[in-house]
Amino acid sequence: MKKIAAFFVFLILPLFAFGSGQRKLQEWSVGSVVSPKEIKSFGEQRCFTSIPISDEIFKRMQGVSFRKNPYITREDLRYVKVLHYDRDGNIYIGELVCNKKIAQDLVDIFYKLYQARYPIHKMVLIDNYDAIDEKSMRDNNTSCFCYRQVAGSSKLSAHSRGMAVDVNTLYNPYYKRLKSGKEKIQPSNAREYVNRQNKFPYKIDKNDLCYKLFIQYGFKWGGAWRSLKDYQHFEK
């Protein structure tokens, strides 16, 4: 009798684990790890899509990444669902909010990166970091929409329109040498990644698939700018 009971437990446990993964995908539990088998059962294409901003998502954004303004509305934005690999080969559930004009571009780009097992450390809304860009970048988070000004300027960032994406932000920092000779590095803990001659993980350069795909879809890369370098940044 004990052998029979043990046999049924052996059968049920994998089913329970499989069901757990299905629930994560169904509920879109961002940051959760899912298996290829669970993804196949759920439907891979369902994991790469864009939808209007739901009340639940908008509640997370209000007063954080989204503030009332004359330039961008909730209806102008889309919630993008994607999967992404990390460096260890784990598959994570990810999310972005972007302008509806580039929503399909991002779905296509991140699907191709996923197919190539391109590593992206983390992809959650910047609202998880109180919409503080420095905190998000320090955590190597990939994000898009955030209604804010360009750091040190009164000019609105392309992120304010949801038309810019920052990818693997810690390893691809913003860098500018001021006239005074002082260096500006964001995030502030990324100094070792300013030298692009060095080898390190997650580095974006012109030989990188991420760079090639964004350029293919008509985005401009901050790493090619002359007055400053923003290696994480792609905008359209």
Side-chain angles (χ1 to χ4, degrees):
M1 196 70 181
K2 289 182 179 179
K3 289 183 178 180
I4 295 174
F7 177 72
F8 276 106
V9 169
F10 176 77
L11 288 176
I12 291 169
L13 281 177
L15 290 172
F16 179 80
F18 183 73
S20 174
Q22 290 292 292
R23 284 195 297 275
K24 289 175 184 177
L25 289 165
Q26 189 66 47
E27 296 169 4
W28 206 250
S29 301
V30 175
S32 297
V33 176
V34 288
S35 71
K37 186 176 181 181
E38 291 162 346
I39 294 165
K40 183 177 180 180
S41 179
F42 180 75
E44 187 179 73
Q45 291 303 317
R46 294 174 65 190
C47 300
F48 291 87
T49 186
S50 69
I51 58 176
I53 306 296
S54 67
D55 290 342
E56 180 182 0
I57 296 300
F58 195 57
K59 186 177 180 180
R60 288 172 59 191
M61 297 169 59
Q62 278 187 299
V64 192
S65 66
F66 185 92
R67 289 177 284 121
K68 190 174 181 180
N69 68 90
Y71 306 108
I72 197 88
T73 68
R74 172 181 174 177
E75 290 69 30
D76 294 321
L77 302 172
R78 291 293 181 268
Y79 181 71
V80 175
K81 298 180 177 182
V82 300
L83 298 174
H84 65 94
Y85 279 88
D86 70 0
R87 287 183 64 210
D88 298 320
N90 299 307
I91 305 173
Y92 284 85
I93 296 174
E95 63 179 356
L96 289 166
V97 166
C98 69
N99 194 298
K100 63 184 179 182
K101 294 178 181 178
I102 64 168
Q104 190 56 50
D105 288 344
L106 297 190
V107 169
D108 293 346
I109 289 169
F110 284 107
Y111 180 59
K112 290 177 180 179
L113 291 174
Y114 167 78
Q115 287 182 311
R117 294 178 173 244
Y118 184 92
I120 295 174
H121 178 75
K122 197 169 188 179
M123 195 184 300
V124 301
L125 299 191
I126 200 168
D127 303 271
N128 289 22
Y129 303 90
D130 304 314
I132 299 173
D133 200 29
E134 175 73 14
K135 288 171 65 175
S136 177
M137 289 189 292
R138 279 176 166 266
D139 201 26
N140 202 27
N141 183 49
T142 294
S143 67
C144 182
F145 174 77
C146 184
Y147 192 82
R148 61 175 176 81
Q149 295 172 335
V150 175
S153 166
S154 59
K155 180 183 177 182
L156 283 177
S157 165
H159 291 283
S160 295
R161 296 179 289 110
M163 295 294 287
V165 184
D166 290 340
V167 181
N168 287 332
T169 48
L170 173 61
Y171 295 87
N172 298 285
Y174 170 102
Y175 174 81
K176 184 175 183 178
R177 182 180 286 275
L178 305 177
K179 291 181 180 179
S180 63
K182 185 179 179 180
E183 294 176 314
K184 186 175 183 180
I185 301 171
Q186 295 177 312
S188 57
N189 61 335
R191 173 170 288 279
E192 63 184 298
Y193 307 117
V194 169
N195 187 341
R196 308 309 282 183
Q197 301 303 313
N198 293 338
K199 292 183 179 181
F200 47 82
Y202 299 113
K203 184 171 73 171
I204 298 172
D205 58 26
K206 290 187 176 181
N207 296 314
D208 184 67
L209 178 62
C210 182
Y211 166 83
K212 290 177 180 179
L213 285 173
F214 273 100
I215 296 303
Q216 178 185 328
Y217 278 81
F219 287 78
K220 295 180 180 179
W221 181 45
W225 294 343
R226 292 185 178 182
S227 61
L228 59 89
K229 299 296 182 183
D230 199 354
Y231 297 106
Q232 63 192 249
H233 183 92
F234 295 94
E235 71 172 68
K236 198 171 187 180

